[in-house]
Amino acid sequence: AQKVTQAQTEISVVEKEDVTLDCVYETRDTTYYLFWYKQPPSGELVFLIRRNSFDEQNEISGRYSWNFQKSTSSFNFTITASQVVDSAVYFCALRGNAGGTSYGKLTFGQGTILTVHP
Amino acid sequence: DTGVSQDPRHKITKRGQNVTFRCDPISEHNRLYWYRQTLGQGPEFLTYFQNEAQLEKSRLLSDRFSAERPKGSFSTLEIQRTEQGDSAMYLCASSSRLATRRRHEQFFGPGTRLTVL
């Protein structure tokens, strides 16, 4: 069985602060994929990043960065110099190997509500 | 390119009524997924189609739920005899291992928010 845990239910920061969203996952698959999605108040899930289990290189994209640590089964997401527009619910998700019976379905965490105050 | 669309965006119904939702995936995508998201939770997988074949159904999908994808294009999700516990956002996503851009990744639609009174 696969599981994703986002222990932080809500985070509140002031604009320009850095914020890290935690994600811990469980899977028995040797190959898997991790994702982060953003869900603004409009409701549509917006893809942010995908990381393959065999690639532990961290990634930076503008103000966003991701820290993947296989040894601790974590895939944390950091927003640097947060802005009000970053306010949203952020989901971490796991997809197992698309072979076998998983068919590529995503297992999501409970989400972290991020509020950035001006 | 055109994204995933869902119709209606909102549906209010009375307990016991039947409802049907539609999802139009990205045209080149052969894989289609339905998820349900209740308030304060992440989306949960309901069912998966590869072309017109329904290959997996979650245990969340009771016998009151049925999904179809005729001809491997759009999909419908029907809920019969709705209950208040069915109130949720129903999300559709599509993907394709053959896509030139973001292969395997799921593109989500805006969702249909169902309220059962």
Side-chain angles (χ1 to χ4, degrees):
Chain A
Q2 299 181 332
K3 186 178 180 182
V4 176
T5 301
Q6 295 179 253
Q8 304 149 309
T9 305
E10 290 191 58
I11 299 177
S12 182
V13 299
V14 177
E15 209 169 17
K16 298 185 183 176
E17 283 185 23
D18 298 348
V19 58
T20 295
L21 309 181
D22 297 334
C23 173
V24 175
Y25 62 92
E26 296 174 29
T27 181
R28 292 181 181 175
D29 289 344
T30 53
T31 300
Y32 50 90
Y33 304 84
L34 295 161
F35 301 79
W36 276 95
Y37 284 87
K38 175 182 180 179
Q39 189 173 45
S42 61
E44 190 161 347
L45 282 165
V46 178
F47 166 85
L48 296 178
I49 191 172
R50 180 185 85 166
R51 172 61 67 220
N52 304 331
S53 58
F54 45 86
D55 179 5
E56 290 194 63
Q57 186 175 7
N58 291 324
E59 184 162 337
I60 298 174
S61 175
R63 296 185 297 107
Y64 296 168
S65 62
W66 291 269
N67 183 0
F68 175 36
Q69 292 200 340
K70 211 167 179 178
S71 59
T72 56
S73 298
S74 65
F75 186 44
N76 296 338
F77 172 33
T78 297
I79 302 175
T80 303
S82 59
Q83 300 176 359
V84 172
V85 293
D86 295 328
S87 297
V89 184
Y90 290 86
F91 291 98
C92 180
L94 168 69
R95 175 165 73 81
N97 192 345
T101 59
S102 78
Y103 294 116
K105 67 186 177 192
L106 293 171
T107 298
F108 285 85
Q110 305 94 310
T112 297
I113 301 171
L114 175 64
T115 304
V116 182
H117 299 281
Chain B
D1 64 286
T2 307
V4 178
S5 61
Q6 292 186 246
D7 184 70
R9 295 291 305 276
H10 302 272
K11 179 71 177 178
I12 300 175
T13 191
K14 293 182 179 179
R15 188 162 51 98
Q17 298 294 307
N18 299 342
V19 294
T20 299
F21 310 141
R22 177 179 170 126
C23 170
D24 286 272
I26 293 172
S27 59
E28 64 179 356
H29 286 183
N30 64 331
R31 297 180 176 183
L32 188 146
Y33 304 80
W34 284 98
Y35 293 85
R36 181 173 70 185
Q37 185 178 17
T38 53
L39 202 61
Q41 299 296 318
E44 295 174 292
F45 170 77
L46 290 179
T47 190
Y48 161 72
F49 288 87
Q50 184 162 304
N51 300 311
E52 66 276 7
Q54 187 175 20
L55 297 184
E56 188 176 3
K57 293 197 295 186
S58 161
R59 275 172 256 172
L60 291 175
L61 218 62
S62 76
D63 55 7
R64 296 185 297 106
F65 288 70
S66 61
E68 294 182 343
R69 193 182 181 197
K71 303 178 183 177
S73 55
F74 70 91
S75 175
T76 58
L77 177 67
E78 181 183 14
I79 309 174
Q80 296 183 327
R81 305 181 302 282
T82 52
E83 301 173 356
Q84 288 185 327
D86 297 331
S87 295
M89 175 79 88
Y90 291 84
L91 295 164
C92 176
S94 69
S95 72
S96 170
R97 69 177 184 87
L98 300 177
T100 54
R101 186 169 71 94
R102 289 172 56 186
R103 194 165 70 98
H104 283 302
E105 292 174 18
Q106 294 180 29
F107 292 73
F108 281 83
T112 295
R113 183 169 296 283
L114 172 66
T115 302
V116 181
L117 302 176

